[in-house]
Structures are given as structure tokens and as C-alpha cells.
Amino acid sequence: MKALDISGLAKTYKGGVQALKGVDLTVEEGDFFALLGPNGAGKSTTIGIISSLVNPTAGQAKVFGYDLHTEKEAAKACIGLVPQEFNFNQFETVLQIVLNQAGYYGVPRDLAKERAKKYLAQLDLWEKRDARARELSGGMKRRLMIARALMHEPRLLILDEPTAGVDIEIRRSMWGFLKEINRQGITIILTTHYLEEAEMLCRNIAIINKGQIVENTSMKSLLAKL
Ligand code: ADP
Ligand code: ADP
């Protein structure tokens, strides 16, 4: 099964910036996949399109076989997104934030509470459940975004620069957590501009530059070439 299948994806923003110029990409179910590229390469745009936040100008995208255009709701239900920017209500508590997300996806309340406890504990946030988001450190906020993205138990977790601005210790523990949930079967796609991060985590990699995929290979063969 393909977790992601995109072809000919293009995006020209209003104002004329050609962020994507015909991107083809497939990611198999179960993979841990990196989209690597410098700032401005088109990573966030690609992820935005996959997550239905940005409309492509041209091309096709399928998530677990669901067409993003014609089967948007089914596709969205498969995806958990960890955006780059903190986008939660800073005055809500950690627990409220994850429970609201579950509610948004129609997860029954009891199940939502169970999952909240499980994911917050695994991400070292259970003790902080009654703290307001604005009281959390940067690393905690990032982990909260991961917990929130998992509340509807998506088949595909997408993370946009997940460890940007996170110190090395927290980064390592986040990496460990991501590896573990991938082992349990969740497909993961992350964007990064650190080769080291991709190397630590990912089996397959695509390199994007100026809106085009310039390399798409296994991590092993990329490292062998360098
Ligand atoms: P990356 O995530 O790799 O840094 P982006 O997808 O954010 O790259 O950006 C790709 C290009 O599109 C950049 O030139 C950026 O300035 C531009 N861009 C991104 N978002 C928008 C937008 N909403 N409107 C106009 N231009 C944008
Ligand atoms: P879409 O075509 O997907 O609706 P828009 O072109 O309307 O996207 O841009 C979305 C928003 O992003 C706009 O409000 C725009 O002001 C903002 N934006 C513009 N340029 C950039 C940029 N370089 N990077 C990020 N966001 C941008």
C-alpha cells in the first residue's frame, strides 16, 4: 500500500512564486521518510498540500489511495500533522488541547482520555497536563504538537522541521519516540534541512531544491554516495 502517491504537483502562489514545479513522490506504508532541502525549497508547501492546507495549482495527490481532491475527508482522517509553528491556543491547558483535537476528529470521550494519558505520558508531558500551553518550554510545546497529532491515531504522521530550535537532549528523546511509533506501524514523513536528522531516523529520502525533486533514494545509497 502506498501511504503517499503524488504526481506532477505544482504550486504557484499569488504573486507568482513557483514553490513547486512538478513534484512526483511515493512513500510506502510503514516507511520513515525524509524530505530534505534548504530553506525555500518547497518542503512546507508540499506538506501543506498533503495536509489540505494549501491548494495545488496542478497535479494529483493520494493518501492511502484517497484522492486529496475528491476524497478529502477520508484522506485527512489518515493524517496527523505536526506543523512548524506552534498553533494552539496558548491559554488552554495541555490536556484540553489534546482532548479538543480528539473531539474534532470525533473520537469518543473515554477513548480520548485514554489516549491523552498514553501519549502525554510517552512524551513526558503527563505531569504538565494542567499547565497552560504558554507556560511550556519550546521542547515541551513541540512534544505537545506531536501528542495532539496522534489523538485520532492517524496512519501517517507528517512533521515539518520537528526539531528546529530544540536542544540536543530533547531532540534525541523525540527521535527515540518517533522511531518507536514507526516500529509500531505508523508511517512517518518529516521535513528537515539537517542531513544528520534524516540519517538518524529515515529509511528513504527525497531531496528537494527550488521546487523540484533532485534525488529520491534510500538513506543507505545516499550515504554511500557522499
Ligand atoms: P521550505 O519549507 O522548503 O522552506 P516553502 O514551501 O515554505 O519552502 O517555500 C517555497 C517557496 O514558496 C519560497 O520561495 C517561499 O517564499 C514561497 N512561499 C511559501 N509560502 C508562500 C505563500 N503562502 N505565499 C507566497 N509565497 C510563499
Ligand atoms: P493559497 O494560494 O494556497 O490560498 P496564498 O497565496 O493565498 O495561498 O497565501 C496564503 C497566505 O500566506 C497569504 O495570506 C500570504 O500573505 C502569506 N504569504 C505570502 N508570502 C509568503 C511567504 N513568502 N511565506 C509564507 N507565507 C506567505
Side-chain angles (χ1 to χ4, degrees):
M1 180 88 199
K2 290 191 178 84
L4 180 68
D5 188 3
I6 66 185
S7 59
L9 212 57
K11 173 67 182 179
T12 304
Y13 284 103
K14 287 173 203 121
V17 177
Q18 272 187 289
L20 299 181
K21 303 167 186 165
V23 163
D24 300 327
L25 209 57
T26 60
V27 176
E28 292 295 330
E29 181 166 23
D31 203 354
F32 202 138
F33 190 93
L35 186 59
L36 178 79
N39 281 328
K43 302 182 296 295
S44 295
T45 301
T46 305
I47 278 183
I49 293 171
I50 301 166
S51 326
S52 297
L53 300 171
V54 175
N55 285 319
T57 314
Q60 253 215 339
K62 285 184 181 174
V63 177
F64 291 99
Y66 298 115
D67 188 292
L68 271 178
H69 190 59
T70 58
E71 299 162 295
K72 187 168 165 175
E73 289 312 311
K76 275 173 86 171
C78 297
I79 296 174
L81 176 67
V82 181
Q84 210 177 117
E85 310 281 333
F86 305 131
N87 61 350
F88 29 63
N89 180 336
Q90 298 278 340
F91 297 96
E92 281 180 351
T93 68
V94 167
L95 194 56
Q96 277 168 345
I97 287 168
V98 294
L99 290 178
N100 287 349
Q101 181 82 350
Y104 175 77
Y105 281 96
V107 179
R109 194 78 180 170
D110 284 349
L111 188 56
K113 285 183 181 162
E114 221 173 87
R115 287 183 190 170
K117 184 160 188 187
K118 173 171 139 194
Y119 292 121
L120 291 177
Q122 286 177 359
L123 285 156
D124 261 333
L125 283 170
W126 181 243
E127 312 282 277
K128 289 278 174 190
R129 63 190 175 278
D130 295 321
R132 293 180 200 286
R134 63 184 185 136
E135 297 161 29
L136 303 178
S137 70
M140 287 176 189
K141 286 181 185 172
R142 241 167 242 281
R143 284 179 280 141
L144 173 57
M145 293 210 292
I146 297 177
R148 182 183 61 175
L150 291 170
M151 289 299 290
H152 63 296
E153 301 209 325
R155 299 165 76 180
L156 171 63
L157 184 67
I158 301 176
L159 306 103
D160 198 1
E161 302 268 358
T163 61
V166 174
D167 68 45
I168 185 68
E169 224 167 287
I170 306 276
R171 192 180 301 168
R172 290 230 174 85
S173 80
M174 274 172 63
W175 286 349
F177 176 76
L178 293 175
K179 275 186 178 168
E180 179 54 34
I181 61 172
N182 175 247
R183 213 167 9 239
Q184 289 166 16
I186 298 186
T187 307
I188 300 182
I189 299 175
L190 62 78
T191 73
T192 183
H193 56 269
Y194 297 116
L195 179 62
E196 191 211 7
E197 180 157 72
E199 193 183 331
M200 290 297 295
L201 291 171
C202 300
R203 269 188 292 282
N204 291 296
I205 185 167
I207 300 177
I208 187 168
N209 193 27
K210 296 184 178 148
Q212 285 173 316
I213 301 291
V214 293
E215 182 88 67
N216 185 357
T217 182
S218 71
M219 202 63 231
K220 261 194 197 136
S221 23
L222 180 73
L223 292 173
K225 268 201 237 175
L226 296 177

